[in-house]
Structures are given as C-alpha cells and as structure tokens.
Amino acid sequence: MSKKIVLARKKQGLTQEDLAGLAHVTVRTIQRIENGESIPRAFTIKALAQALETSFEELINETENEGLEDKPGLPESVVAGNEKHFLQNLCLSCFSYLVIPFVHFLIPVYLLRKHGLSHPETVAAARTIIRQQIYWIISLHALMLLTLGYNLLVAAHFNKTYLISYLLPFFAMYLLNAFIIVATLQQINQLKLASVKC
C-alpha cells in the first residue's frame, strides 16, 4: 500500500507535508506509511483517501491486492491490536458511572463516534457494551421505583420497621455494574477480535 500512496501523492503533485496537512496527520506518519514501517488505521486510510481524491474502498481493494486480508480496513493482526485496545478503553470508560451514573453511557458513545471504527465486529462489540450500560440505568431506575412502591405500601398498611433502605438496592446495582464491566473487559482480553461477543 505504501507504493500506492506514494504514486497517488506524486500524481496529485503533493509533498509529504502537503498530504499530511490535507489528511490532518503528522509528516512522520506519512513517512512511516510510505516507507512501509507501519500500516495505517482505518480512519487514517479514510483521511488519506480523501486527501488523494480517491475512495476508501479503492484503497482497501488496492491494499488487498498487495496481499492483505479480505476485510474492511486492516490485516487481522493490526486490527486486533488497535481495535481490541479501543474496546478495552471503551469498556473502562463505563466506570464513569461512579461519578455520573445516569448519563455516563454518553462517554463511550462519544468515544465510539470519535474513533471512526470500520471493523464490523468491533462496532458490534462496542454497541453491545453501550447497550449493557443503558440496560443497567433502566434496571437501576426500575429497582429504585420498586423499592419506593414497596416502602409506600408497607408504610400505609404495615409496620414501618419493615421499610427497605434505598441505599441497599442502589449499592447492589453499583456492585453489579462493576462486575459486568470487569467481566466484559476480561472477555475482550481473552478473545480475538473476530470472536468478541460481549
């Protein structure tokens, strides 16, 4: 792919500095790609394709002709390393529920949109992690409402000594979510990207 990028850059009459500016990457990144020292991530390929006035798919097809796997983006080893690391960070960002419990899922949503993933398995796994957090928020609210309903019923008809403290279900749900996040993180660490199912 490095030769394809060099030829396309020279065809456009661009220097490495020009291409770096158009693609919003460093000159060193362009140098490493053109020298074959590194394989760019999916979002870098997209930026290069736009700067070189070609399509992402054409660069991917050209990459495949150079011997890379028939997958959108990068070879499995590179994708697994970069995108598996992203999934780990996304999963860890869910611990923000300790500080902002009711809207914390917006942080992994933001990370997913900003990262610009192209590998379908990674996107599916990231969305599953986010859905888990949304389900947790719904379950937390439902449990707190059930506790409220129980306490109102007991206070109206029975002895008030049987009331449930709201802290009990609240902290139970907090511990449950911590367990869910850690279990998902372990699953990501143990499985290859192509088989991650959170």
Side-chain angles (χ1 to χ4, degrees):
M1 184 174 66
S2 59
K3 293 179 181 178
K4 302 285 185 181
I5 291 174
V6 172
L7 290 174
R9 175 174 63 78
K10 290 181 177 179
K11 185 178 179 181
Q12 294 292 329
L14 301 173
T15 65
Q16 289 182 335
E17 291 78 10
D18 294 335
L19 180 57
L22 291 171
H24 304 291
V25 297
T26 64
V27 176
R28 179 59 183 150
T29 300
I30 299 297
Q31 292 171 345
R32 287 170 59 91
I33 293 169
E34 290 189 355
N35 292 332
E37 296 174 9
S38 67
I39 300 175
R41 297 182 181 182
F43 63 87
T44 305
I45 295 175
K46 290 178 184 177
L48 291 172
Q50 185 176 4
L52 295 170
E53 298 181 3
T54 185
S55 68
F56 176 79
E57 290 74 18
E58 287 177 6
L59 279 183
I60 295 304
N61 290 335
E62 290 172 351
T63 300
E64 289 168 2
N65 292 336
E66 292 294 321
L68 299 180
E69 293 187 10
D70 188 17
K71 289 187 178 181
L74 309 173
E76 184 178 357
S77 60
V78 177
V79 173
N82 293 334
E83 300 201 356
K84 181 177 177 181
H85 179 69
F86 168 76
L87 282 178
Q88 291 167 336
N89 288 336
L90 184 113
C91 195
L92 287 172
S93 75
C94 294
F95 275 112
S96 59
Y97 82 97
L98 295 169
V99 181
I100 45 174
F102 303 124
V103 292
H104 74 282
F105 68 93
L106 294 176
I107 294 175
V109 167
Y110 170 76
L111 292 176
L112 178 59
R113 290 184 178 176
K114 181 181 178 182
H115 196 269
L117 298 172
S118 64
H119 197 288
E121 292 290 337
T122 310
V123 174
R127 288 178 177 168
T128 301
I129 292 170
I130 293 168
R131 277 196 302 270
Q132 285 176 344
Q133 294 306 303
I134 294 172
Y135 295 153
W136 175 79
I137 293 170
I138 294 170
S139 300
L140 175 63
H141 282 84
L143 188 58
M144 296 304 287
L145 286 173
L146 286 173
T147 304
L148 173 64
Y150 171 82
N151 285 344
L152 288 175
L153 183 65
V154 169
H157 299 290
F158 302 101
N159 192 334
K160 292 184 179 180
T161 57
Y162 296 107
L163 295 178
I164 298 176
S165 171
Y166 292 102
L167 293 177
L168 181 64
F170 185 78
F171 284 118
M173 289 298 293
Y174 262 57
L175 287 174
L176 176 63
N177 199 28
F179 174 78
I180 291 170
I181 294 171
V182 170
T184 303
L185 187 59
Q186 288 177 344
Q187 195 174 12
I188 292 169
N189 290 336
Q190 292 171 357
L191 301 179
K192 292 181 179 179
L193 181 65
S195 58
V196 167
K197 301 222 183 282
C198 299

